[in-house]
C-alpha cells in the first residue's frame, strides 16, 4: 500500500518519495501517519497518488494535515494526483 524511497543529492534538500498503492484504506492510516512523522525537517516530500484508484477519507485527512504542518518544519510537499479520465 506504500513504498518509500529517499534521495540525497549534494546542494539539494533531502527528498522522500512516497508512492501509494491502487487502494489505500483506513487500515493504512497509522502506517502513513508514522511514515510522515518520521520525515526530517527541511526536506522535500513527493506523495505519488497517480496509480491510486481509491483512497479512504481518513488517509486524505492525514495527508492534508501533514501538508499544513509541513510548512512549520520547512518541508516542501508535492502531490502527484491520478489524471482525470476524459
Amino acid at each position: 500500500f506504500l513504498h518509500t524511497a529517499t534521495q540525497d543529492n549534494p546542494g539539494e534538500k533531502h527528498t522522500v518519495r512516497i508512492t501509494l498503492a491502487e487502494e489505500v484504506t483506513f487500515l493504512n492510516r497509522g502506517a502513513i501517519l508514522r511514515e510522515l512523522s518520521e520525515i526530517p525537517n527541511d526536506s522535500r516530500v513527493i506523495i505519488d497518488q497517480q496509480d491510486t484508484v481509491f483512497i479512504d477519507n481518513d488517509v486524505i485527512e492525514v495527508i492534508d494535515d501533514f501538508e499544513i504542518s509541513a510548512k512549520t518544519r520547512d518541508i516542501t510537499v508535492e502531490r502527484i494526483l491520478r489524471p482525470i479520465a476524459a
Side-chain angles (χ1 to χ4, degrees):
F1 71 91
L2 170 74
H3 174 73
T4 304
T6 60
Q7 182 177 0
D8 289 302
N9 292 325
E12 294 181 15
K13 284 187 170 192
H14 172 78
T15 301
V16 178
R17 182 182 192 94
I18 298 173
T19 305
L20 299 180
E22 188 174 331
E23 292 190 21
V24 183
T25 69
F26 72 94
L27 296 173
N28 308 124
R29 181 183 183 276
I32 291 170
L33 187 59
R34 182 177 55 253
E35 198 69 40
L36 292 173
S37 70
E38 293 176 359
I39 294 172
N41 293 349
D42 195 34
S43 294
R44 176 177 176 233
V45 178
I46 302 167
I47 302 173
D48 186 345
Q49 299 173 233
Q50 64 185 339
D51 293 330
T52 305
V53 175
F54 172 81
I55 183 167
D56 190 89
N57 285 333
D58 287 343
V59 176
I60 292 171
E61 185 177 307
V62 165
I63 294 171
D64 289 345
D65 289 347
F66 173 75
E67 243 182 315
I68 292 166
S69 67
K71 295 173 187 172
T72 64
R73 297 175 50 205
D74 197 27
I75 297 174
T76 305
V77 179
E78 177 186 342
R79 288 168 86 165
I80 303 172
L81 302 175
R82 183 177 182 84
I84 298 173

